[in-house]
Amino acid sequence: MRSYSPDLTPPWKKSTPAPEVPAEPDPDLVVEEVSTGFCGAVVRCEKTAEGPTVTLEDRFGKHRVFPLVPGGFLLDGRVVTLVRPTTAGPARPTRTASGSVAVPGARARVARAGRIYVEGRHDAELVEKVWGDDLRVEGVVVEYLGGIDDLPAVVAEFGPAPDARLGVLVDHLVPGSKESRIAASVTGPDVLVVGHPYIDVWEAVKPSSVGIPGWPSVPRGEDWKTGVCRALGWPENTGAAWQHILSRVRTYRDLEPALLGRVEELIDFVTAVGDA
């Protein structure tokens, strides 16, 4: 008769296996391989003679293949084990376009008193496309100003307060600029003005996502958007050009980090109050 030896290891010393995550091909499933630090979206999972592997694609389009080893990847900073998927694919997106965890069936929250203002319509459309799901869950409304010159009057009329914070996203916010002086004049405990260094929000879209080698330089004094269309050989219709650019934006990975961080900062600022 086999003798039984109980496991006397204290619970706090027992190791917990890393959770398993199916390696479904999904642009929203972005993981980091722990030994190399390579970060990318899952492109494919294959069975090979050496064992199952996963192919990751980074934000530059580079592919690398890794073995599916226990605890070999990080997902949202947590160690996980990727495993071969057993189904055809996820039933619904697991991530929003901004990279946040999707909340299936979540209802839009009643709008907060706080607001986020952006300079123009293009800015508002880009923020809506990438962060729209998050903003609805948080109850944050985004409006556009049509320019920054009237910002002091807009802020005064809005009347920011601890329970009605105002966040403002400004184009080309660089030291010594007109924009920086206006921003400094309205910034306060309940008003946060942040900006990106680009002349226009068009530049915040990665050239690789648009299919161009880079955003062209436009001579001073020339309308920047028209100059961009001319330099790229596009019809000089800035509205149509913007719709083409916007159509190439699918997730946060299509945007420059200098814009991503600023929008996230504004959302955090506006939503930091008013929750019980």
Side-chain angles (χ1 to χ4, degrees):
M1 180 175 181
R2 181 179 298 177
S3 62
Y4 171 72
S5 300
D7 184 0
L8 301 179
T9 306
W12 59 87
K13 289 189 177 182
K14 293 182 180 180
S15 59
T16 302
E20 294 185 348
V21 175
E24 305 277 4
D26 185 348
D28 294 321
L29 179 56
V30 179
V31 298
E32 178 183 340
E33 202 277 329
V34 295
S35 63
T36 63
F38 186 87
C39 186
V42 174
V43 175
R44 69 180 65 88
C45 184
E46 299 174 300
K47 182 180 180 180
T48 71
E50 291 76 25
T53 64
V54 63
T55 302
L56 304 182
E57 180 183 48
D58 71 7
R59 63 192 183 95
F60 302 107
K62 181 179 179 181
H63 287 197
R64 287 191 63 177
V65 180
F66 299 99
L68 295 184
V69 298
F73 300 87
L74 295 177
L75 176 61
D76 292 337
R78 298 181 59 189
V79 176
V80 299
T81 296
L82 292 185
V83 297
R84 293 185 64 197
T86 56
T87 60
R92 56 170 65 91
T94 57
R95 299 277 169 174
T96 67
S98 72
S100 300
V101 176
V103 184
R107 294 184 177 180
R109 174 174 174 159
V110 175
R112 296 173 182 263
R115 290 288 187 276
I116 291 177
Y117 286 164
V118 296
E119 277 204 53
R121 180 170 57 85
H122 292 180
D123 306 70
E125 289 175 346
L126 184 61
V127 169
E128 163 61 28
K129 184 160 190 180
V130 176
W131 287 274
D133 289 339
D134 305 327
L135 293 168
R136 280 181 283 279
V137 170
E138 295 290 349
V140 177
V141 174
V142 175
E143 301 179 10
Y144 67 90
L145 299 166
I148 194 176
D149 291 343
D150 296 330
L151 182 59
V154 171
V155 172
E157 181 179 357
F158 181 83
D163 60 347
R165 285 180 156 185
L166 180 61
V168 184
L169 179 68
V170 177
D171 296 342
H172 200 230
L173 189 61
V174 296
S177 64
K178 174 191 73 174
E179 290 82 0
S180 67
R181 292 191 293 272
I182 294 176
S185 72
V186 300
T187 298
D190 301 312
V191 180
L192 176 64
V193 182
V194 300
H196 54 73
Y198 310 114
I199 295 174
D200 189 272
V201 77
W202 288 20
E203 278 192 296
V205 180
K206 291 179 179 177
S208 58
S209 297
V210 184
I212 59 176
W215 292 106
S217 297
V218 176
R220 185 182 294 273
E222 182 178 350
D223 178 72
W224 188 84
K225 293 177 181 176
T226 302
V228 165
C229 292
R230 186 174 299 131
L232 293 175
W234 295 350
E236 293 180 23
N237 181 332
T238 58
W242 169 244
Q243 291 306 313
H244 168 69
I245 296 167
L246 187 63
S247 72
R248 304 302 293 271
V249 176
R250 295 173 176 82
T251 72
Y252 70 98
R253 289 190 291 272
D254 294 310
L255 304 181
E256 298 288 357
L259 176 67
L260 293 174
R262 303 295 75 75
V263 175
E264 297 286 353
E265 187 177 356
L266 289 176
I267 295 175
D268 290 344
F269 179 79
V270 172
T271 59
V273 294
D275 288 320

